[in-house]
Amino acid sequence: MKCIPSVLLCCLLFYCSTVTAQVIKADTTSRIRTMANADTLSDVIVSASRRPENIRNIAASVTVIPRHKLETEMAINPDLTAILANQVPGYAPTAQSGSNVGQNLRGRPMLVMVDGVSQSSPLRNAEVDLRSIDPAVLQQIEVVKGATAIYGNGAAGGLVNYVTMVPDTTTAFGGKTDVQLNGSLVKVKNSVGGRINQLFYGKVGKFDYVVSGTAEQTGEYKDAKGDLVGPNYSLGETDTYNAFAKLGFEPGRNQRLQLVYNYYSSLQHSNYTLVNGNLATGQKATGVLGKPLGEPTGAQYNHNLHLSYRVDNLFLHTSLIADVYYEKREDVFYVSLGRFDGGDGQSLANNDKKGARLFLQTPVINSPSLKANLAYGVDYLRDKTSQPLVDGRVWVPTMDMTNLAPFAQADLTIVQNLVFKTGFRFEDVRIDVDDYQTLRITNASGATVTPSFMVKGGTLKYNTGLFNAGLKYNRFELFSPFISFSQGFSVMDIGLALRDAKVNSIDKINTDAVKVNNFEIGFDSRYKGLQFTAAAYRSTSKLGIEVIYDPATGLFNTARSPELVYGFELAAAYRFNRTLTVGGSYSYTEGKRDINNNGKYNDDVDLYMNGRRIAAPKATGNVTWTPLQALDLMLNYTGIMNRERFAKNSTTGIYNGNEGAVKAYNLFNFAASYKVNKNTRLSVGIENLFNEDYFPARAKWFMQPGFYSKGRGTAFAVGVSVRY
């Protein structure tokens, strides 16, 4: 057992005492608040259009995970990729991994943000951005689904915004300590881990602060048979650290200056080397004792620094938000055996961002029958991304992107019921790449797949306008419909194209950007204790960015065929009384590629999109029950259904990479929380309650022997939370 769980056990005993509690609430730099009853649609305010507004006025599908749901999920498992998969319809299932490959929104790439600051880089989509911050410092998570023109480059499938906390309290000093032990219930030996989070907050005069530190160590992950889950990118034996500070100053009633710093690191320090699975026989991947090759995998570091200034009631009652930010992160990938010039290689993803934003909002009309607002501003981003090998060799050269994007957004509310929104954003993108030399790539026998040669660099330029419009009618709570059209934009995964270059100049590589047209129609309904939402969508792009596996070379390439993605989502919740609520959702996504580029998607040559982009259908359910005032019980269900769209390779007898058939599985999680007194709360969480023996969806469709691992078996978590 590692050292942290032992310390945590002592902390559990020490902190089970009575102390004075203060409540910490939260907002963001734009003063976004969650109300007392966050499950009621009319009481939740989100920032889907970059300013606070009622969720009922948004003409798009939005999911908000409030603080109390985050706390319940964290009592089971604090992994954000799992929380999002459990809570958000249309979101692909988690792989229980440090990588979120294949975990997208409605079949398209998404933009991950912390307080509106991007953690993603479309230049080389490393697909590790979901694990950028610890959930202990989050007030809520906002998920906007479908292409969005509001945030621009990278949000072709929507966005995930992690909203952090600031205090709303009169006390000068308050705090909260959370301690948790966790491990396997199938085979406890070597599986026990734990986490501790310490939070301080307060308000002194015009100043307020939040300071938080989190340390977590996980033990070995065990599957339903008690065997070690394959260690490739597993979250078992992982050390995670998060340091967070937010300082605020309000010089006047309508002004706020705020500085935020966040540091996040999550690295796997495994005691096992990988034993590959066998795709033909169904043998799962596992591990044997031994030192893994290379450096520990995961997020080496992620630094975020964010300074913002807000002032209200300027000229014509205009409000202004100006901010500057800096983000620098490095992520470490697994060792590829015998791939690079006949030897092993381990790559890094380096990302360095600097940006500034100016956002203004002016009320144009404010009368009982008509309200109109105009929002406008400009975004600036400088993003440098590269993917070298650990030993210093260049695999993907540095790509230096400058992105300038002015925008304007207008909304009208007619007689308080009819809401119309429209806007425009112009993207001006420039990407500079120096001359570089490709690495010689070999196959398993050492033969050359792609030779090493010089590639002439240059400048790539993209200019495009993005339009959005939406209409929402809120006259009747029983039926509140909306319809919307929104365009999204993203440069393709240029790093993937550059590292696999087969020509000697980047101007000969197809690096054209992707522009997405997203149509959506839906409604929400409320009747007494019932809430119901439904949405259907259709998303098209003239160019694709699907990653295709080539079995002849063992390499992944990008297909540029036109794409169609479509689907629907249903969600319902019913509150029987103050103590019992039930809910559930169903989401379905499908996608096809127009191989012959004739504008149709049903020709014999046209193909379905693979599992990396299109998730299997997903159903969720939940029951929350409060039999006693101090006791909360919750049962969650997540069901992943079958998806089989491709035939097996006639030569190998197995599916090609990214095309494997997903087999259905059903997972139940349980959480209980007991309030010992007004300051102390105990919690128990059980993951995979019925010990389902299964391969996660990604293990099935990915079809890579090193990732062919079973899912985690029944696991427990016990914790105590104390406020003072």
Side-chain angles (χ1 to χ4, degrees), residues 90 104-111 143-148 152 154-160 488-490 516 518 539:
N104 52 44
L105 271 173
R106 292 180 172 178
R108 291 196 181 274
M110 64 204 167
L111 192 64
V143 182
V144 181
K145 290 171 277 188
T148 173
L159 60 94
V160 175
F489 167 82
S490 180
V516 174
N518 187 80
S539 171

Side-chain angles (χ1 to χ4, degrees), residues 259-521:
L259 178 66
V260 180
Y261 172 72
N262 185 72
Y263 166 80
Y264 180 82
S265 174
S266 183
L267 291 172
Q268 184 187 27
H269 295 275
S270 181
N271 294 307
Y272 293 84
T273 59
L274 174 69
V275 176
N276 282 331
N278 188 312
L279 303 174
T281 64
Q283 178 63 39
K284 63 191 178 187
T286 183
V288 294
L289 283 171
K291 181 176 174 55
L293 295 174
E295 300 295 323
T297 59
Q300 181 76 30
Y301 56 78
N302 181 26
H303 296 279
N304 278 259
L305 188 64
H306 183 195
L307 177 65
S308 62
Y309 175 67
R310 190 203 80 248
V311 57
D312 298 327
N313 291 327
L314 294 172
F315 61 94
L316 301 177
H317 303 288
T318 297
S319 62
L320 175 149
I321 300 175
D323 52 358
V324 293
Y325 58 88
Y326 174 71
E327 189 230 6
K328 185 176 180 63
R329 71 180 298 155
E330 180 174 281
D331 297 280
V332 186
F333 299 102
Y334 66 98
V335 175
S336 294
L337 299 176
R339 181 177 186 182
F340 299 100
D341 202 14
D344 301 338
Q346 184 177 22
S347 68
L348 308 169
N350 290 326
N351 188 224
D352 190 316
K353 291 193 188 77
K354 304 177 184 69
R357 302 178 300 192
L358 181 66
F359 178 85
L360 300 99
Q361 180 180 330
T362 302
V364 179
I365 302 173
N366 189 7
S367 69
S369 59
L370 179 64
K371 297 183 185 298
N373 295 283
L374 179 65
Y376 48 99
V378 63
D379 294 339
Y380 170 80
L381 171 65
R382 181 80 177 272
D383 183 344
K384 291 184 178 181
T385 298
S386 63
Q387 189 177 12
L389 299 188
V390 171
D391 60 18
R393 286 179 291 173
V394 175
W395 193 18
V396 176
T398 299
M399 299 163 286
D400 187 351
M401 180 177 73
T402 302
N403 192 170
L404 187 67
F407 61 88
Q409 186 81 12
D411 65 81
L412 295 92
T413 304
I414 304 170
V415 293
Q416 299 182 347
N417 295 313
L418 184 63
V419 181
F420 174 71
K421 299 175 181 291
T422 186
F424 182 81
R425 179 184 178 97
F426 182 77
E427 296 280 356
D428 183 8
V429 180
R430 174 191 174 104
I431 303 172
D432 294 313
V433 181
D434 292 336
D435 297 347
Y436 70 99
Q437 185 166 353
T438 64
L439 292 179
R440 185 172 77 95
I441 306 299
T442 62
N443 59 21
S445 61
T448 298
V449 175
T450 58
S452 174
F453 57 90
M454 289 297 301
V455 178
K456 181 178 177 55
T459 299
L460 305 173
K461 295 182 180 180
Y462 309 94
N463 296 283
T464 189
L466 303 175
F467 173 75
N468 70 88
L471 193 65
K472 183 80 182 289
Y473 187 61
N474 290 326
R475 174 67 178 85
F476 305 104
E477 286 196 345
L478 186 62
F479 183 69
S480 180
F482 74 87
I483 186 171
S484 69
F485 169 78
S486 185
Q487 293 180 312
F489 167 82
S490 180
V491 298
M492 69 160 291
D493 194 331
I494 292 175
L496 187 61
L498 295 183
R499 78 185 194 190
D500 293 336
K502 297 177 177 60
V503 291
N504 60 4
S505 178
I506 67 168
D507 59 10
K508 299 177 182 179
I509 304 173
N510 185 354
T511 58
D512 293 343
V514 175
K515 188 173 181 178
V516 174
N517 294 321
N518 187 80
F519 298 87
E520 184 172 8
I521 186 170

Side-chain angles (χ1 to χ4, degrees), residues 124-135:
R124 175 75 274 267
N125 189 358
E127 296 175 290
V128 290
D129 43 8
L130 285 177
R131 292 175 56 83
S132 296
I133 193 170
D134 192 88

Side-chain angles (χ1 to χ4, degrees), residues 162-177:
Y162 296 135
V163 180
T164 63
M165 299 187 294
V166 300
D168 185 10
T169 178
T170 58
T171 186
F173 178 80
K176 179 172 175 280
T177 303

